[in-house]
Amino acid sequence: MSQVLIATGLYKPGPRNPHHTGPKMVFKLIRPAPLTERVRSRDGCIYLYRAMKFIGWLPPKEGVLRYLYLLWTLMTFVWSTTYLPLGFLGSYMTQIKSFSPGEFLTSLQVCFNAYGSSVKVAITYSMLWRLIKAKSLLDQLDLRCTSMEEREKIHRVVARSNHAFLIFTIVYCGYAGSTYLSSVLSGRPPWQLYNPFIDWHDGHLKLWVASTLEYVVMSGAVLQDQLSDTYPLIYTLILRAHMDMLRERIRRLRSDETLSEANSYDELVKCVMDHKLILRYCEIIKPVISGTIFTQFLLCGLVLGLTLINVFFFSDLWTGIASFMFVITILLQVFSFCYTCNLIMDDCESLTHALFQSNWVGASRRYKTTLLYFLQNVQQPIVFIAGGIFPISMSSNISVAKFAFSVITITKQMNIADKFKTD
């Protein structure tokens, strides 16, 4: 695990300090930095972009290294994005009769997810420029964070965002590693991808070689899938922090008696501009999120249902552990972001209440007119739409989960599991 984290850039060992040992030195970015250090909102994406650089998504701008790096990018897309889903299809065409029911379901659940992951990766990579551009808007929003309280909030959300990415890394790597070990120890490759060059039936050595090659390919796909699943959460966590700071600025409007009416009006205008920046930030990242989350919603219910059928009816101890890790991975893909979207809608409502309850009574006519214009725009909630069809929220997530349990119910009522075992 530590080698994977070092390779992706999440863990960069520094010089040892005999007076400061333990886990605090390992993942520095998951803890709020002291206020004496300069921290920006974009620093919440450090782990995310280190992983992107490792997988081949952020090439150098010029020089020979750029072309070598692009070759690495091509390799990751060929093996992890293209070969992996085709490898499942090839194995079904050539050796479907050798699968047991449990092995087939274990392979099928990952197969569906692999095809969805390839689509998500293609969408995220093609629109990566939007995520990079959004970071420049975060820099503009940071210019307004001058007080110690606001800087502390920036420090906390940066640590929380990097911590979230680290948790996703541990879970995703845990799934790949547990599936690899449980399958090899049971005497079969973890995913049984089509491999015309190595026959894993010819002894333990070839079994380990074929399984390790599958694990390497799957690890690349898992990291790509993780990037597509974590960027919406990280970018919206930072969004919520800036909405919280804007709400506090609105509450302080005209509360300082030492400020003149003109200065109070200027503060209101600055809040309006902050809100416009937040809306621009959302408009930039919405198209990327729309495509990836829509793809995930389409597959989540089916994949989750197949995985639970495998756990309930066909799994042994080791396969059950790997399937359990896969279930957690599937739930993490949508639940955390859907929950954050609900919180963002609540934040928009709180923003409206803060503006209406601010000290506007007795203000000048110009101030009240601007406040009414601001209030009208703030009342429109920030909603992320999946595929331009339905809003991303906990209700959508629950509907997907219901579909998974519907798949299990149909399986039990039709005795499909017993027929599989009999055949």
Side-chain angles (χ1 to χ4, degrees), residues 75-88:
M75 288 180 59
T76 58
F77 273 95
V78 167
W79 288 106
S80 298
T81 311
T82 306
Y83 165 72
L84 182 65
L86 294 179
F88 283 108

Side-chain angles (χ1 to χ4, degrees), residues 44-63:
C45 307
I46 287 180
Y47 282 172
L48 175 69
Y49 279 83
R50 283 181 184 175
M52 286 183 180
K53 189 174 182 179
F54 171 76
I55 205 64
W57 288 14
L58 299 173
K61 294 183 179 180
E62 57 186 11

Side-chain angles (χ1 to χ4, degrees), residues 332-345:
L332 275 178
Q333 288 177 341
V334 290
F335 171 78
S336 54
F337 179 64
C338 289
Y339 181 67
T340 306
C341 286
N342 272 52
L343 294 178
I344 289 174
M345 288 186 278

Side-chain angles (χ1 to χ4, degrees), residues 190-327:
W191 298 279
Q192 301 193 36
L193 301 177
Y194 175 68
N195 188 341
F197 304 106
I198 302 176
D199 186 1
W200 62 272
H201 297 90
D202 296 342
H204 290 287
L205 179 60
K206 289 192 175 181
L207 170 63
W208 279 95
V209 171
S211 300
T212 303
L213 290 176
E214 286 188 9
Y215 175 68
V216 171
V217 173
M218 181 60 72
S219 294
V222 165
L223 180 56
Q224 288 180 338
D225 194 37
Q226 180 190 345
L227 294 175
S228 300
D229 292 337
T230 51
Y231 81 83
L233 177 63
I234 290 174
Y235 274 77
T236 49
L237 284 176
I238 299 174
L239 168 65
R240 290 199 63 225
H242 282 282
M243 292 184 67
D244 180 49
M245 288 183 283
L246 176 58
R247 181 172 61 248
E248 294 302 320
R249 293 181 199 131
I250 290 175
R251 286 174 178 170
R252 292 195 300 265
L253 288 174
R254 299 187 79 248
S255 61
D256 189 352
E257 298 180 355
T258 61
L259 293 179
S260 63
E261 188 65 27
N263 290 335
S264 298
Y265 178 76
D266 291 339
E267 290 297 321
L268 175 62
V269 172
K270 289 179 181 178
C271 290
V272 174
M273 299 306 296
D274 292 340
H275 186 252
K276 284 187 174 182
L277 274 177
I278 288 175
L279 294 180
R280 282 180 56 196
Y281 173 83
C282 294
E283 290 302 319
I284 287 177
I285 64 176
K286 275 182 178 180
V288 202
I289 293 176
S290 175
T292 54
I293 298 299
F294 179 70
T295 305
Q296 187 58 45
F297 272 147
L298 289 179
L299 293 172
C300 184
L302 178 61
V303 173
L304 188 59
L306 290 173
T307 306
L308 292 177
I309 290 172
N310 190 17
V311 171
F312 292 152
F313 299 107
F314 301 105
S315 293
D316 54 21
L317 175 61
W318 294 108
T319 307
I321 293 174
S323 297
F324 178 73
M325 292 296 298
F326 189 69
V327 168

